[in-house]
Amino acid sequence: MPDCLVVDLGTIEYPSALALQRDLHQRVVNGDLPALLLLLEHPHVYTLGRRSAESDILVSEFTLRGLGATVYHTDRGGEVTYHGPGQIIGYPILDLRAAGLGPLAYVRALERVIVSTLAELGIHATSEDRPTGVWVSDSKIAAIGVRVSHGVTMHGFALNVDPDLSYFDHIVPCGMPGASVTSIAEQGVELKVSAVSDILTSHFANVLSLSVTHSTLEAITEDPLAVVSTAQGRT
């Protein structure tokens, strides 16, 4: 069995992705699947982590509807963030004990994955002496928020490739008033999300010392439509 299966889900609604994560998380906990890295994009959505405040969303429900954005409370760490087209969302589901990592070391490893990915693109980024995430100068380019249950991870990271950054104007990103955000495109590198995903997958394997194999949702889930259909109404 390979160390890690990488599954590209394309674009998927947030609640469907969350339901899928929960199903696959339990299967990894049970030992039925190896580690997984789910790569995807979300339609416009704001998610509030366990430390979020409702006041971190700065606009009304009417404005949110006009933006085509939904809001979900979730069980990851951190505060509010935005996900949308043009972002790489990565949801690693892996056993930290098998990886020899504690939760903090795991978060730092994810930061190194993104810093190394950006370095390959000629973008100098850092996570040292900064709040959790990855930064280019004083602007955040990637957010990280995770949950660990039964020693196995959920949620993960969001790397801005070329999203509409104006969506961040409607929140207090990661609970930091006045924080600015940036993207790979804003740093002068024009690449498709799929191209950046390939580079990121390579660095994910290197940093976490994993042998990765690409797979499909159909290959690892007997009835993927049944799994994601349970997401209706779940947050």
Side-chain angles (χ1 to χ4, degrees), residues 164-217:
D164 183 345
L165 295 177
S166 70
Y167 276 79
F168 286 96
D169 297 339
H170 307 301
I171 60 173
V172 180
C174 301
M176 294 180 290
S180 62
V181 294
T182 190
S183 66
I184 290 173
E186 191 174 68
Q187 296 301 312
V189 180
E190 299 289 342
L191 284 174
K192 292 182 178 180
V193 167
S194 58
V196 180
S197 292
D198 289 343
I199 297 169
L200 187 144
T201 298
S202 175
H203 288 285
F204 180 84
N206 289 338
V207 170
L208 290 162
S209 300
L210 294 170
S211 172
V212 301
T213 301
H214 289 269
S215 187
T216 65
L217 185 57

Side-chain angles (χ1 to χ4, degrees), residues 3-4 6 29 39 56 61 65 74 94 119 122 126 134 151 190 196 204 218 228:
D3 290 338
C4 182
V6 179
V29 169
L39 295 174
D56 287 340
E61 290 186 14
R65 286 196 296 271
T74 189
L94 58 89
T126 186
V134 177
E190 299 289 342
V196 180
F204 180 84
E218 290 74 16
V228 299

Side-chain angles (χ1 to χ4, degrees), residues 4-87:
C4 182
L5 296 176
V6 179
V7 182
D8 188 342
L9 299 176
T11 299
I12 182 172
E13 295 279 352
Y14 185 81
S16 297
L18 182 57
L20 179 61
Q21 279 193 83
R22 288 170 173 161
D23 176 76
L24 297 176
H25 177 273
Q26 187 59 54
R27 295 179 64 192
V28 173
V29 169
N30 294 344
D32 298 329
L33 284 173
L36 303 169
L37 173 61
L38 308 181
L39 295 174
L40 56 135
E41 294 178 72
H42 285 310
H44 301 298
V45 62
Y46 297 107
T47 66
L48 291 90
R50 294 192 300 270
R51 292 189 286 129
S52 294
E54 295 284 351
S55 58
D56 287 340
I57 295 180
L58 305 176
V59 295
S60 67
E61 290 186 14
F62 177 81
T63 300
L64 290 170
R65 286 196 296 271
L67 293 167
T70 52
V71 177
Y72 290 97
H73 290 264
T74 189
D75 55 1
R76 62 164 172 79
E79 292 89 1
V80 66
T81 195
Y82 161 76
H83 298 315
Q87 260 186 354

